[in-house]
Amino acid sequence: MAKRIEFTKNTPNAKRGGNKFERLSKKSPKKRNWLKKIGFFFLYLIGLSLFSVVFLKFFPVYFTPTMASRKIDALLEGKPSKIYSQWTPYKDLDKNVAIAVIASEDQAFPDHHGFDFDAMWGAVRHNLKGKKIRGASTISQQVAKNVFLWQGRSYVRKGLEVYFTFLIELIWGKERILEVYLNVAETGPMTFGAEAACRRFYGHSGAEISTSEAARIAAVLPSPNRFSIENPSAYVRKRTSAIQRQMRGLGGTKYLRNL
């Protein structure tokens, strides 16, 4: 008959594995540490994003990821890589440019909170019909993308765009959003902002711009590297006239009082 062996704390090589729950409890501190690290990482990103948005509420936006991307592409392709951009405060810009981009890009700008859901739903219905894909980004969304994010289409970037749009609507306000848009929007090859466009393509400052010139800048915004301010195509001229009519329909620069 085999001798029964009793294992005690003093027994050599005694296996004290414990039950399943005890083994899991031994691993849980490591898991909790990783969760803490991930949590602190996301808190750091949120804090950094908040700091960036607050900082850029008061300071000019001289350079954006979009500018960097265009410059890198030009260097890789061996093309001229000089960036044309000149920050100009909102008060020094002719308000015809402001009303022109609103008439062209986002007529509900003074009223929405960053997202034009009616336009978004209209774009969805349009795209579901199999027609040419049409977007519905507001001026606020375009500013969030151009200043804080990268170009391209992905769910991650779109989600971040929603987040930054919410922040700038909350922290910046409409006038600051419009001011930044008028300074960072791509208006031509390697050209950003209304002031740079006026000086490069019209030969004068943004303070001297006419209604038709402002409307022409707005007319090329959907595709500034395809359409030209300096040598407008028939399509750009037609679109310019349509934008001028919309500017008058909105009440001209008086519409900006709603900001």
Side-chain angles (χ1 to χ4, degrees):
M1 182 174 178
K3 184 178 179 181
R4 181 178 179 181
I5 300 176
E6 295 289 340
F7 287 98
T8 66
K9 293 182 178 180
N10 297 322
T11 303
N13 301 321
K15 295 182 179 179
R16 298 185 292 274
N19 60 37
K20 179 178 180 182
F21 297 103
E22 289 176 340
R23 292 195 297 272
L24 288 174
S25 66
K26 291 179 180 178
K27 295 180 181 179
S28 60
K30 291 184 178 180
K31 291 182 178 179
R32 286 197 295 269
N33 287 338
W34 273 108
L35 288 174
K36 285 182 179 179
K37 289 179 180 178
I38 294 172
F40 282 128
F41 176 72
F42 278 107
L43 285 174
Y44 170 78
L45 291 180
I46 292 172
L48 182 62
S49 64
L50 284 170
F51 172 80
S52 300
V53 172
V54 172
F55 180 84
L56 292 178
K57 174 181 173 66
F58 303 103
F59 295 91
V61 182
Y62 290 119
F63 204 69
T64 67
T66 304
M67 294 180 190
S69 175
R70 295 290 185 257
K71 190 171 186 69
I72 292 170
D73 289 344
L75 288 171
L76 292 175
E77 295 172 7
K79 296 179 180 179
S81 60
K82 179 181 178 180
I83 296 288
Y84 294 88
S85 177
Q86 183 171 333
W87 178 269
T88 306
Y90 180 75
K91 63 182 178 62
D92 295 333
L93 284 167
D94 189 285
K95 299 306 179 284
N96 279 315
V97 183
I99 193 63
V101 299
I102 289 176
S104 171
E105 298 288 293
D106 185 5
Q107 294 189 11
F109 177 69
D111 304 314
H112 63 61
H113 298 290
F115 308 94
D116 187 343
F117 294 104
D118 290 336
M120 291 167 67
W121 177 236
V124 169
R125 288 184 296 178
H126 173 88
N127 298 337
L128 286 175
K129 293 179 181 179
K131 298 180 180 180
K132 184 179 179 180
I133 299 297
R134 184 174 69 187
S137 292
T138 62
I139 286 176
S140 302
Q141 288 176 273
Q142 292 180 56
V143 169
K145 177 185 68 176
N146 289 336
V147 174
F148 299 102
L149 302 171
W150 62 94
Q151 299 294 322
R153 296 177 181 273
S154 70
Y155 290 114
V156 172
R157 202 226 66 190
K158 200 65 180 175
L160 290 172
E161 180 184 302
V162 170
Y163 170 70
F164 278 106
T165 299
F166 171 77
L167 286 184
I168 63 174
E169 280 279 339
L170 181 66
I171 297 172
W172 287 7
K174 294 294 186 180
E175 186 173 303
R176 176 60 174 177
I177 291 172
L178 186 57
E179 178 183 46
V180 173
Y181 182 76
L182 292 171
N183 277 280
V184 305
E186 197 168 10
T187 50
M190 308 302 290
T191 308
F192 296 85
E195 183 68 28
C198 287
R199 292 181 180 275
R200 188 178 184 192
F201 304 124
Y202 296 145
H204 57 69
S205 71
E208 305 171 81
I209 195 170
S210 67
T211 302
S212 61
E213 288 174 333
R216 198 191 312 169
I217 288 177
V220 306
L221 288 178
S223 188
N225 289 303
R226 177 185 173 191
F227 303 125
S228 172
I229 293 174
E230 194 172 22
N231 299 299
S233 63
Y235 170 80
V236 171
R237 290 195 296 269
K238 181 179 178 180
R239 183 170 165 78
T240 298
S241 298
I243 292 172
Q244 286 183 268
R245 290 194 296 272
Q246 291 168 343
M247 291 167 67
R248 291 192 294 270
L250 290 175
T253 56
K254 294 179 181 179
Y255 191 71
L256 299 174
R257 295 174 184 174
N258 297 324
L259 297 183

